[in-house]
Amino acid sequence: MSIVVTGATGHLGRHVVEQLLEKVPAEEITAVVRDESKAADLAARGVRLAVADYNTPETFDGLFTSGDKVLLISGNEFDKGRVGQHRAVIDAARAAGVSLLAYTSAPGSLTAALADDHRATEDVLLASGLPYTLLRNGWYHENYTENLAPVLAHDAVVQAAGEGRIASAARADYAAAAVAVLTGEGHENKTYELSGDEAWSFAEYAAELSRQTGKEIVYNPVSPETFTSILTGAGLPEAFAGILAGVDVSIEKGELAVTTGDLSRLTGRPTTPIGESVAAALKG
């Protein structure tokens, strides 16, 4: 039996594997990767590597064994049919008879187009009959703190979210929740709405950036159309820019401000404050 993590060299996947290594022997962890060279450090620590690609379903044939616990980290290739990608993993897991498949989904409150693939994947997973855990991850601090260059260049936070608030948390927090599920008991057929302990607004975010940088950084709310134009002007594909603008519309409606406490309960500690992630990004 193994704990299997797909997308193991991605931002979230690496956090999960690192935290698993603190709790279970390395030989009990299987990291699913596309490129073994990107996981050489994990292999050196004793983690088993398995090479597979969401876009090539047959690469998952025989990858899982009966009794495995699997974390399916959602793909990020929005243009390649993510539901089909996820279905390939679910089908292989069902054929093997894994004991649990946990899936990183989107908040149940989110109505933006970004959530569509997640809802459809949840339907596939529930229809499979596999024991499941839905980890409905809220927004990540890093969605903003890893993109500070334009903010600091223009002394402005530009979003299309109005006065909406976000109950985000750090990637490491969401990883800790996944690890708790993969190494714990009693999580079968459960849905967890995961979010930060405290919601914040972009005006507050700008104020926090000002405090930590000593610069005067303002929040400049714009329309979804203007925001889409800004993102495409920065080189994002139009479809993806539209998805991000749609998330901001959802933020303005309060759809990402929900605080359930599930995340801190699963991890056994408070979630990381946004200011802490800002400080880490500014140092980095």
Side-chain angles (χ1 to χ4, degrees):
M1 192 203 94
S2 191
I3 294 175
V4 186
V5 180
T6 73
T9 53
H11 290 306
L12 180 62
R14 273 201 168 273
H15 276 294
V16 171
V17 175
E18 289 286 347
Q19 293 187 38
L20 279 171
L21 283 165
E22 297 172 5
K23 296 213 165 186
V24 299
E27 59 268 21
E28 293 181 14
I29 305 168
T30 299
V32 182
V33 300
R34 286 182 181 174
D35 182 350
E36 276 188 294
S37 67
K38 291 184 178 176
D41 60 314
L42 298 177
R45 295 169 69 181
V47 174
R48 175 176 169 255
L49 302 186
V51 179
D53 188 327
Y54 289 159
N55 296 307
T56 314
E58 59 270 21
T59 58
F60 283 91
D61 291 347
L63 193 154
F64 305 115
T65 57
S66 177
D68 283 352
K69 289 185 176 181
V70 179
L71 176 64
L72 170 54
I73 294 180
S74 58
N76 59 5
E77 296 174 314
F78 295 90
D79 57 339
K80 292 190 177 176
R82 292 198 297 169
V83 181
Q85 292 179 331
H86 300 156
R87 185 190 300 273
V89 180
I90 292 167
D91 286 349
R94 181 179 57 192
V98 306
S99 64
L100 182 73
L101 192 145
Y103 172 64
T104 61
S105 193
S109 55
L110 185 65
T111 64
L114 180 72
D116 293 348
D117 288 349
H118 292 296
R119 294 290 93 82
T121 299
E122 289 184 4
D123 290 344
V124 172
L125 179 52
L126 267 60
S128 75
L130 281 170
Y132 68 86
T133 307
L134 298 182
L135 298 167
R136 288 181 170 170
N137 287 357
W139 223 223
Y140 300 163
H141 292 337
E142 289 87 350
N143 291 342
Y144 304 106
T145 61
E146 287 181 352
N147 296 289
L148 286 178
V151 174
L152 299 178
H154 300 284
D155 294 335
V157 173
V158 180
Q159 299 285 156
E163 296 178 9
R165 303 181 73 79
I166 308 169
S168 63
R171 272 200 197 99
D173 296 332
Y174 294 108
V179 168
V181 165
L182 293 168
T183 60
E185 300 296 333
H187 300 291
E188 293 83 0
N189 306 330
K190 297 278 182 68
T191 298
Y192 297 110
E193 296 287 348
L194 304 177
S195 60
D197 294 333
E198 292 188 27
W200 50 270
S201 69
F202 282 109
E204 291 167 348
Y205 178 59
E208 181 65 21
L209 286 168
S210 299
R211 186 182 71 78
Q212 293 201 31
T213 62
K215 302 171 74 176
E216 186 177 348
I217 296 172
V218 299
Y219 170 44
N220 180 15
V222 297
S223 70
E225 295 75 21
T226 299
F227 190 52
T228 301
S229 298
I230 290 169
L231 294 175
T232 54
L236 263 63
E238 190 161 352
F240 186 50
I243 286 172
L244 293 180
V247 170
D248 269 19
V249 171
S250 284
I251 290 171
E252 184 167 24
K253 293 177 183 174
E255 293 176 8
L256 288 180
V258 180
T259 54
T260 65
D262 279 358
L263 183 50
S264 52
R265 276 192 293 274
L266 270 179
T267 61
R269 58 172 171 76
T271 60
T272 306
I274 182 68
E276 199 172 303
S277 290
V278 167
L282 291 172
K283 274 184 202 165

